[in-house]
């Protein structure tokens, strides 16, 4: 059953005010100017970083830039690469990327003896030991990062990091954001004005890295980057995903359409495909960018299909007992290793319980390893629960998402242990929509829909898109309501409702009968005639 909960006072005569109040924000947040930009002098080590980079550029030294393995890593790496190439076209730069899903100076990153400087955007604040090793080889290290670091500043690297800088107020800037600060400082140092050209990449990195856009400075950079697209690969991504973007490029579209293609490539692509993606971000060849954008889209489709079919296979044989408060399952042949975490997440969402998926460990008989995903209402820290059980070899990563290893003989003990630990926790399987308005058929009018649709581009990343429930809507639909590629379209009080990506199953359920529906929808702009419409998020036959 579809569950929903009204968050505020349901004042549909004042839709915008109600939505803003429900989110604890002011309308000014959507109209910012340069006054919200923080002084880059608040960052520790900014000038040391600039002088270090310029010293190596002037000496024409070989410089490695390590591209961290997510969208923030790729964009921040491209920003600094492109900026350097503009001021020093002959600069001797290499981009290095990881083989697996590692970060910073992990073992798969090989720094050659010719290298004199390593730049690490979006990573490596914690790699003190590796910095020391590079320092011993006569190699300088420049870290431009935003990750938390409990062990303070590295003695063997120049580290620019908003979390470590006590004077910096904005902790919601990601790697690409801190790199932007560095480029602004470089601009001023060199009497240049080149950094703003990369606002598009800065925006993409911040949105993809899920920075909270209640932060005014981060939001300002995001707005700048949504409207001025310069990067050829980003242009190619927008062209290639034209249909899903529906003529729009905003915070939600980056999160749901663009970023997943890039993350999918980093997660599921082979080394050559990944390298191609990082190269495309710095390419001036639009044909190559287009080809790469299509490749990324295909890899994401391949990944979605693989995950879907693995899910189906697992669900076919899966047996859960009523009292099970965790799911521990072998996924040997069924599942590509790089998709283990994605599938664990899906299973944990579906059944509402912590999920651990494992397979045999190569060269280590009797041991298995894999991915775990926790779920907040059962446990806030599954990793800690695993470690406390003293049954696992290791548990690493985040509190509710990471990897583990265990001896085969201890698997059933672990299951008993977790079932006992969570035995009083309630399992919640259906997600509850938080809605701003509950409307009956007679309340639906174009004022409300147009008002909310006009704010479509502002939502996402910490400011959720307003949702409306339409209760007990009587409809009779038939195949005349099928429009375009998989859409169902109908009108209530002259307001267009559109259900995108409607399956055949759904159409069979809805067509050729009189039905009463509860519908959850959001207000967006219909790009054909520039008016507000309702996009259906979910619906079910009313009881
Ligand atoms: Mn990041």
């Amino acid at each position: 059953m579809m569950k929903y909960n009204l968050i505020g006072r349901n004042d549909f005569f004042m839709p915008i005010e109600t939505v803003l109040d429900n989110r604890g924000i002011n309308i000014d947040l959507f109209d910012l100017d340069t006054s919200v930009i923080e002084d880059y002098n608040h960052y520790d080590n900014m000038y040391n970083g600039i002088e270090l980079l310029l010293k190596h550029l002037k000496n024409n030294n070989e410089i490695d830039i390590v591209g961290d393995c997510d969208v923030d890593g790729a964009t921040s790496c491209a920003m600094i690469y492109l900026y350097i190439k503009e001021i020093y076209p002959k600069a001797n730069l290499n981009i290095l990327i990881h083989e697996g899903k590692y970060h910073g100076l992990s073992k798969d990153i090989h720094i050659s003896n010719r290298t004199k400087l390593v730049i690490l955007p979006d990573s490596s604040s914690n790699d003190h030991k590796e910095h020391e090793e590079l320092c011993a080889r006569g190699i300088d290290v420049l870290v431009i990062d935003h990750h938390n670091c409990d062990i303070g500043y590295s003695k063997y690297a120049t580290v620019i990091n908003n979390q470590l800088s006590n004077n910096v107020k904005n902790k919601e800037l990601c790697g690409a954001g801190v790199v932007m600060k560095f480029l602004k400082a470089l601009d001023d140092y060199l009497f240049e004005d080149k950094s703003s050209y990369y606002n598009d990449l800065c925006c993409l990195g911040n949105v993809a890295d899920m920075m909270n856009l209640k932060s005014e400075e981060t939001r300002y950079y995001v707005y700048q980057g949504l409207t001025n697209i310069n990067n050829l690969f980003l242009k190619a991504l927008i062209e290639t995903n034209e249909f899903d973007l529906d003529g729009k490029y905003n915070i939600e579209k980056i999160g749901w359409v663009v970023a997943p293609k890039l993350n999918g490539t980093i997660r599921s692509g082979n080394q050559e495909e990944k390298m191609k993606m990082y190269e495309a971000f710095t390419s001036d060849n639009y044909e190559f960018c287009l080809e790469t954008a299509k490749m990324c889209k295909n890899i994401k489709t391949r990944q979605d299909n693989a995950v879907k079919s693995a899910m189906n296979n697992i669900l076919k044989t899966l047996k859960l007992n009523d009292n099970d408060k965790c799911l521990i399952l072998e996924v040997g042949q069924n599942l590509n290793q790089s998709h283990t975490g994605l599938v664990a997440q899906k299973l944990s969402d579906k059944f509402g319980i912590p999920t651990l998926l494992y397979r045999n460990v190569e060269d280590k008989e009797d041991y298995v390893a894999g991915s775990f995903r926790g779920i907040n209402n059962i446990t806030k820290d599954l990793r800690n629960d695993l470690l406390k059980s003293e049954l696992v070899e290791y548990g690493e990563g985040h509190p509710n998402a990471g990897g583990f290893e265990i001896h085969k003989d201890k698997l059933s003990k672990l299951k008993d242990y977790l079932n006992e630990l969570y035995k009083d926790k309630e399992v919640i399987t259906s997600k509850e929509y938080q809605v701003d308005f509950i409307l009956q058929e007679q309340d639906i009018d174009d004022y409300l829909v147009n008002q909310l649709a006009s704010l479509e581009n502002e939502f996402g990343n910490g400011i959720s898109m307003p949702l409306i429930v339409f209760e007990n809507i009587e409809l009779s639909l038939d195949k005349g309501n099928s429009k375009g590629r998989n859409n169902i379209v109908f009108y209530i009080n002259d307001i267009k409702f559109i259900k995108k990506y409607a399956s055949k199953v759904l159409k069979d359920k809805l067509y050729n009968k009189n039905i009463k529906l509860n519908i959850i929808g959001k207000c967006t702009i219909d790009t054909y005639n520039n008016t507000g419409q309702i996009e259906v998020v979910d619906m079910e036959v009313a009881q």
Side-chain angles (χ1 to χ4, degrees), residues 70 72 122 146-147 174-175 209:
D70 60 18
D72 187 20
D122 189 34
H146 72 118
H147 288 93
C174 70
D209 226 32

Side-chain angles (χ1 to χ4, degrees), residues 171-213:
K171 306 295 183 187
E172 289 291 332
L173 266 187
C174 70
V178 181
V179 166
M180 178 54 80
K181 289 302 207 193
F182 182 71
L183 300 186
K184 296 272 178 219
L186 263 172
D187 264 352
D188 289 348
Y189 194 95
L190 299 167
F191 301 101
E192 293 278 5
D193 186 14
K194 297 192 186 306
S195 59
S196 317
Y197 191 79
Y198 306 106
N199 280 334
D200 54 352
L201 294 180
C202 175
C203 164
L204 177 59
N206 275 286
V207 176
D209 226 32
M210 298 301 289
M211 291 299 109
N212 191 315
L213 293 182

